[in-house]
Amino acid sequence: MDKLCVNGPTQLKGEVHISKAKNAYLPLMAATLLATDKVTFTEVPGLRDIRTMHRLLEHHGVEIKEEGEGVFTYDCQKLKSEEAPYELVKTMRASICVLGPLLARFKKAKVSLPGGCAIGTRPIDLHLKNLEKMGAKIEIEGGYVIATTEGLKGTKLALDFPSVGATENLMMAACLAEGETIIENAALEPEITDLGNFLVKLGAKIEGLDTKTIKIQGVSSLGGTTYSAIGDRIEAATYIIAGLMTKSEMTVKGFDPIHIDAVIEKLAEMEAKMEIGHDYVKVFPSELVGTDIDTAPYPGFPTDVQAQILALSTQAKGLSIITEHIFENRFMHVPELQRMGAGITIKGNSAIVKGGKPLKGAPVMCTDLRASAALVLAGLCAEGVTEVRRIYHLDRGYEKLDKKFAGLSAPVERVQGD
Ligand code: EPZ
């Protein structure tokens, strides 16, 4: 398994260009199952999760062609299977978002239950009970969701929790349902709006994007289009925090800073010096102070940036209390950071960080995508070499991370593992 060797402490220089968002492209690709004409996506990031989604779509019979660097076409004329097999779904729980489109288009779907993952059990009850309200018959058999319908019917749905994945599945199902579907308490993440904009370009009738109430009038079929996803706000936040951790002057470009408003607010509270542009954030060397952070659904502080800002808070003066409200087990980066000398105590779903203790390089282990990013960030400001192992977790969501850091003059080297 490959590893990253980070030789700290270091500073970053110059500009990094952010890739298009993994968490936008995964539902967008699932939505191609609804399209009766060709779909073209551009600037698709080279990520493990994207390759997994391509394998899943090809299993369903989608013809995928690479037309050039990051340009892919998807042809869903000849779909052959409504089954999403365990072997594929178990490696990426986001595969569950093929359930809605398969059911809407083919009136049946057999999708493996995703199972839990490192950060939590991650149930899909909100997806299933609302698809039932739309007229789906749902059975769980042998670890699979088996869904059938005579035809989905639009109705009023109210999500108990603004689940991103449930909102996406229900939006896609509603596009081809009969009549009007109203989704109350819909998730507000920018990736939801991106999916809605794409579906509208395919011919869907959707109102209320960017609000908690999304209204969809079902249509008989959807066409094709060319589309490019929004910039990856989580990747952007990761590099902004890397710049602040290393007291660097550098620029993160190619995303909409409004999409991480809550992160920018918290960094400002920590006295970070930043220049906010329309598609970039520039950071300057800053003496940071600790603050309190509570993760929440959008527009609150994103859980996907919790590990990274926790690593940053180890370098801030004073105390920070970081509380995780979204997932039940999302502090696996903490023991690894403690091994590097960080002063962190876990109390329930809060991490209490005593900032200002210098970090020492050490061999550390990745456990999940964002925890892995936090370890790389810590290595950038730690004294000595940090060996970040099992970086296949990073490859899921950070395109060319070693090359992007090399472009920022940071000594981050990828070493072929055994
Ligand atoms: C999406 O996951 C993202 N993944 C996650 O990013 C992100 O952390 C999460 O949204 C929250 O923002 C993708 O977009 C591919 P949820 P998702 O449904 O859709 C509970 C990353 O690092 N829940 O909003 O699975 C669930 O257990 C990944 O890029 C139910 O209880 O998130 C969790 O506690 C990690 N029942 C909370 O809601 C359900 O039916 C948020 O889940 C569905 C969810």
Side-chain angles (χ1 to χ4, degrees):
M1 283 181 224
D2 288 7
K3 61 188 175 188
L4 278 185
C5 292
V6 186
N7 194 351
T10 184
Q11 287 211 302
L12 310 182
K13 281 196 288 296
E15 183 172 289
V16 61
H17 203 90
I18 294 304
S19 302
K20 295 297 184 180
K22 160 181 90 82
N23 289 353
Y25 260 132
L26 291 176
L28 287 173
M29 288 173 177
T32 63
L33 291 164
L34 297 168
T36 52
D37 293 337
K38 190 168 82 169
V39 169
T40 302
F41 288 140
T42 61
E43 298 178 88
V44 174
L47 298 170
R48 222 168 126 237
D49 277 5
I50 296 290
R51 291 188 286 275
T52 302
M53 181 56 87
H54 279 177
R55 278 203 305 282
L56 179 58
L57 292 178
E58 285 170 336
H59 176 84
H60 289 309
V62 179
E63 205 181 306
I64 302 176
K65 283 203 196 95
E66 183 163 5
E67 309 283 356
E69 170 79 18
V71 180
F72 290 87
T73 57
Y74 303 76
D75 183 339
C76 297
Q77 309 289 344
K78 303 180 279 306
L79 292 184
K80 62 178 194 267
S81 152
E82 300 81 32
E83 180 173 337
Y86 176 66
E87 298 65 46
L88 285 172
V89 174
K90 74 175 189 276
T91 61
M92 185 184 67
R93 58 168 279 97
S95 314
I96 193 64
C97 61
V98 301
L99 177 60
L102 286 173
L103 195 54
R105 180 105 185 253
F106 303 102
K107 299 189 172 46
K108 60 181 175 181
K110 182 179 176 186
V111 179
S112 167
L113 280 167
C117 74
I119 62 177
T121 53
R122 302 187 73 182
I124 56 167
D125 55 310
L126 301 178
H127 301 238
L128 302 183
K129 77 179 183 184
N130 284 290
L131 285 171
E132 281 179 323
K133 285 184 188 160
M134 295 179 73
K137 183 165 164 289
I138 304 272
E139 288 166 305
I140 307 294
E141 211 176 287
Y144 279 79
V145 174
I146 298 171
T148 52
T149 180
E150 299 297 310
L152 293 175
K153 297 245 181 318
T155 185
K156 188 163 181 187
L157 307 170
L159 290 182
D160 307 338
F161 177 87
S163 153
V164 171
T167 303
E168 290 163 347
N169 247 331
L170 296 167
M171 281 170 72
M172 292 187 276
C175 285
L176 297 181
E178 191 194 319
E180 180 180 71
T181 301
I182 298 174
I183 305 172
E184 296 286 1
N185 199 24
L188 289 166
E189 275 70 1
E191 293 76 20
I192 300 283
T193 304
D194 213 18
L195 175 63
N197 291 334
F198 170 67
L199 291 168
V200 166
K201 278 195 81 176
L202 289 180
K205 294 197 176 358
I206 303 177
E207 288 169 33
L209 289 175
D210 278 331
T211 76
K212 295 189 83 66
T213 304
I214 296 178
K215 275 190 191 152
I216 299 177
Q217 294 298 338
V219 292
S220 53
S221 69
L222 294 175
T225 190
T226 295
Y227 199 79
S228 193
I230 53 174
D232 192 320
R233 61 195 173 98
I234 308 301
E235 184 193 20
T238 305
Y239 282 99
I240 290 166
I241 290 172
L244 291 169
M245 272 188 103
T246 52
K247 298 196 182 336
S248 306
E249 177 173 329
M250 51 85 84
T251 302
V252 180
K253 204 169 160 55
F255 75 105
D256 184 345
I258 295 175
H259 291 164
I260 50 168
D261 212 23
V263 176
I264 290 171
E265 277 209 1
K266 278 297 168 186
L267 293 175
E269 241 174 68
M270 295 174 79
E271 297 181 12
K273 293 187 179 61
M274 300 174 282
E275 177 190 308
I276 316 293
H278 70 285
D279 69 345
Y280 72 88
V281 169
K282 184 169 184 177
V283 298
F284 301 90
S286 317
E287 291 307 320
L288 300 172
V289 295
T291 188
D292 295 346
I293 289 158
D294 289 82
T295 65
Y298 196 90
F301 192 93
T303 173
D304 291 350
V305 182
Q306 177 260 98
Q308 300 93 310
I309 204 155
L310 193 154
L312 178 68
S313 62
T314 69
Q315 302 308 301
K317 254 198 300 306
L319 217 54
S320 296
I321 302 178
I322 296 165
T323 306
E324 173 59 56
H325 296 280
I326 305 291
F327 289 108
E328 62 268 33
N329 182 33
R330 203 168 196 180
F331 282 133
M332 282 168 299
H333 37 289
V334 169
E336 299 301 310
L337 292 171
Q338 286 167 331
R339 294 181 56 247
M340 296 174 74
I344 310 169
T345 315
I346 298 288
K347 279 203 178 355
N349 62 339
S350 292
I352 297 144
V353 185
K354 274 203 196 74
K357 287 178 70 179
L359 299 180
K360 289 258 173 301
V364 290
M365 192 76 80
C366 293
T367 50
D368 62 272
L369 171 56
R370 306 304 173 182
S372 316
L375 300 181
V376 175
L377 300 186
L380 292 170
C381 62
E383 183 66 44
V385 176
T386 297
E387 267 191 13
V388 184
R389 296 173 177 170
R390 293 193 181 163
I391 55 169
Y392 58 85
H393 288 287
L394 274 172
D395 294 338
R396 300 191 56 169
Y398 287 95
E399 186 180 37
K400 301 187 186 120
L401 182 125
D402 53 329
K403 292 191 175 48
K404 288 186 178 180
F405 272 119
L408 291 165
S409 316
V412 175
E413 192 203 346
R414 187 179 185 115
V415 175
Q416 299 289 336
D418 44 27

